[in-house]
Amino acid sequence: MQISHSVTVLDGSSWRARAAEHERRAGRFADPFVWRRERGQAHPVEDFLFTYYTLKPGQFKRWHPGAGVILLDAAERTSWKFYRAATEDELLSAGLSPDDAHAHAERGDAVLVDVSQFVDKRGTALTFTREILSNTADKKAFFGCFGMHEWAMAYKSVQNNIRHDYLDLRLGAEGTDRVVESHRIRCSHFDAFRFFMPQAAPMNELQPTRESQRTLEQPACLHANMDVYKWAYKLIPLIDSALVMDCFELAWDARELDMRAAPYDLLDWGYEPIKVETPEGKAEYVRHQRELSERSVTLRRRVLSQIEGALNRAAVA
């Protein structure tokens, strides 16, 4: 139930139901990955978000309410990082009766995210995340890359050995090289650019660096949009799990588009190629890219809103 404009109180049955629903939502993605990993199997599309990013499946499935939520009957969470027991005064301010507030405070089983501690310990991360998300959300989207970054990662595959060595190149090595050589390469994302084959890197109109990342990224970039998930989960438990999952699902869809437009043959895995080497394929790619870009801007602003709310809470604590 909503108690005030700033604090929500959830009883045990309510928050445990939310936690169970989150575990089901997250498990739909994480459980198949764990199953494959235990059997030494790999998936070229679906494993990426669990192998490239650092949030482990168990952590991914753990529910967090975010800042400004008091969980009743949650004594087990007092030992969790960046959580603490609510004080009696906080419980009274949140609308609990004096008797209930006193009882929960005595037991120490009313728990909330310790925003002040998080801001104190992770202030640099908060500042950087706020800057990069704000800069990217405000930037004009560029829709002329056509996913060429993945092709640049497979350029000159005979000399370099293709990165996904268990996948065939849809156009073969020579055909892939011709596509790279006949297209404009304009990748703005450092963590994609750093995987370019050495012969392809000089072809990129931009030469992104880690230092320029916060100002160079733009909201049409699939990898920047996958990274919204990264910026969100790095702020757990300050950011609520529903928002983290929304960011993850954006990243999941961006990864699928990224690989459908990549030079690899994924038909046996159930993915129809988007043939970005053709005008029709480019148009299809941009249609999907625009939809993902719009979603990414909305999600960036939602994460930014939660960051600002947390900073405001810490300032008045």
Side-chain angles (χ1 to χ4, degrees), residues 130-242:
R130 179 172 58 175
E131 182 179 7
I132 193 169
L133 291 179
S134 179
N135 288 347
T136 307
D138 290 340
K139 196 175 262 83
K140 183 178 179 180
F142 174 72
F143 293 101
C145 69
F146 305 121
M148 283 294 117
H149 57 279
E150 288 289 343
W151 295 72
M153 295 178 195
Y155 186 57
K156 297 295 183 185
S157 61
V158 175
Q159 295 94 317
N160 297 316
N161 296 318
I162 58 172
R163 295 181 59 238
H164 300 282
D165 57 4
Y166 60 98
L167 299 176
D168 293 328
L169 291 169
R170 182 168 55 82
L171 301 180
E174 292 184 4
T176 300
D177 292 350
R178 284 195 297 270
V179 171
V180 175
E181 291 161 359
S182 63
H183 280 74
R184 178 187 186 189
I185 312 294
R186 191 180 186 278
C187 178
S188 57
H189 193 269
F190 172 71
D191 284 315
F193 176 66
R194 67 190 177 95
F195 290 111
F196 277 31
M197 291 297 102
Q199 301 93 330
M203 300 180 187
N204 196 26
E205 292 182 7
L206 304 172
Q207 296 291 304
T209 65
R210 183 66 71 199
E211 291 70 29
S212 65
Q213 181 179 18
R214 69 187 72 196
T215 58
L216 199 57
E217 290 188 2
Q218 51 90 16
C221 171
L222 295 191
H223 281 267
N225 293 339
M226 286 185 238
D227 280 350
V228 179
Y229 163 62
K230 174 179 71 175
W231 303 124
Y233 80 67
K234 283 182 176 292
L235 301 184
I236 290 173
L238 209 65
I239 303 297
D240 72 84
S241 290

Side-chain angles (χ1 to χ4, degrees), residues 35-48:
W35 186 92
R36 288 191 298 271
R37 184 180 61 184
E38 290 173 348
R39 289 158 179 80
Q41 300 174 8
H43 193 292
V45 180
E46 296 182 359
D47 288 355
F48 179 77

